[in-house]
Amino acid sequence: MSAQKNILLLGSGFVAEPCLEYLQRSGNNRVTVACRGIEKAQELASKYQNATAVSLDVENDAALEAAVAAHDLTISLIPYTQHARVIKAAIKAKKHVVTTSYISPAMQELDAAAKEAGIVCMNEIGLDPGIDHLYALKIINEVRDQGGKILSFESFCGGLPAPEASNNPLGYKFSWSARGVLLALRNNARYWQDGKLVEIQGKDLMDSARPIFIYPAFALV
């Protein structure tokens, strides 16, 4: 029988419950749901047998470090701007940490320290980024294994509801923080097109939007 694992889950937003449900499939996982508002954490934790709730302000370094040190693994589902702070606490405690966000410059600066501490610091493993990258490589490798050549590859991911549930004009539903979605629209874009590197500043990102016709239920712009 596997040893019990104590897991700290930071955040109680849209993504937290699916994560908690998955972790609870193993009876060996004991999960502490932590967020600033204890009520939200209690509401989520109360649905599962091996989950408890605590109030935690991640901007309180001492409290964050103590919480991280008391667990085997920390999963950070809070805003990406706080991930570097969480990783610093994990490095200090020599505990593993997981985030779903892109690696920011502040997180990248901690790479050497994380390696020196001997911890796993795993990032970009949500849906986008994460699963979409894995499936992109799967498709590309399958084409190459069959002697094919990739001429062009585009990936569309996230927030697309099933046709029967697509009941709003945009054809999009928030599966994570609405604020986070809107902030992402201000990020810089960088991609390859026709053999050339294209870079778009965040302030100009929405000016580059174009219609995408996937299915009648999906009214993307």
Side-chain angles (χ1 to χ4, degrees):
M1 184 175 179
S2 301
Q4 177 177 307
K5 297 294 184 182
N6 295 311
I7 301 170
L8 178 64
L9 180 61
L10 298 177
S12 58
F14 288 166
V15 185
E17 183 162 2
C19 178
L20 178 56
E21 187 278 326
Y22 181 82
L23 294 172
Q24 291 287 302
R25 295 179 191 181
S26 169
N28 297 320
N29 292 333
R30 300 293 185 271
V31 182
T32 302
V33 181
C35 64
R36 189 161 46 189
I38 186 64
E39 295 81 7
K40 291 188 66 176
Q42 289 173 332
E43 180 182 357
L44 179 56
S46 65
K47 301 177 184 179
Y48 299 93
Q49 183 176 0
N50 295 325
T52 56
V54 298
S55 174
L56 177 65
D57 182 357
V58 296
E59 295 187 354
N60 182 329
D61 290 333
L64 175 62
E65 290 171 0
V68 169
H71 295 80
D72 302 302
L73 168 70
T74 296
I75 301 176
S76 182
L77 300 179
I78 55 180
Y80 74 93
T81 53
Q82 300 287 1
H83 288 330
R85 185 188 298 269
V86 175
I87 294 171
K88 287 179 182 178
I91 291 171
K92 185 174 182 179
K94 295 187 176 182
K95 297 297 179 76
H96 305 307
V97 61
V98 172
T99 83
T100 58
S101 300
Y102 287 105
I103 299 174
S104 67
M107 295 162 66
Q108 185 64 49
E109 289 177 1
L110 299 171
D111 180 63
K115 290 175 179 175
E116 184 177 351
I119 67 170
V120 173
C121 183
M122 190 171 291
N123 306 287
E124 300 188 1
I125 56 166
L127 171 60
D128 176 6
I131 295 174
D132 61 333
H133 292 173
L134 296 177
Y135 270 95
L137 283 176
K138 178 177 182 293
I139 293 169
I140 290 170
N141 289 335
E142 287 175 349
V143 171
R144 289 175 174 169
D145 289 344
Q146 296 177 34
K149 181 179 180 180
I150 301 296
L151 300 178
S152 177
F153 183 87
E154 290 186 84
S155 174
F156 306 102
C157 180
L160 304 181
E164 64 272 14
S166 183
N167 54 9
N168 64 54
L170 185 58
Y172 181 95
K173 292 194 174 181
F174 292 108
S175 55
W176 52 299
S177 163
R179 181 176 183 271
V181 173
L182 297 176
L183 285 175
L185 298 179
R186 302 290 295 172
N187 289 344
N188 297 336
R190 192 167 184 261
Y191 58 92
W192 288 93
Q193 185 176 37
D194 299 327
K196 297 180 180 179
L197 181 63
V198 178
E199 296 186 89
I200 302 174
Q201 294 298 309
K203 64 183 179 61
D204 302 320
L205 186 62
M206 292 310 295
D207 291 334
S208 68
R210 56 186 172 84
I212 301 172
F213 302 103
I214 302 175
Y215 189 85
F218 301 144
L220 301 185
V221 294

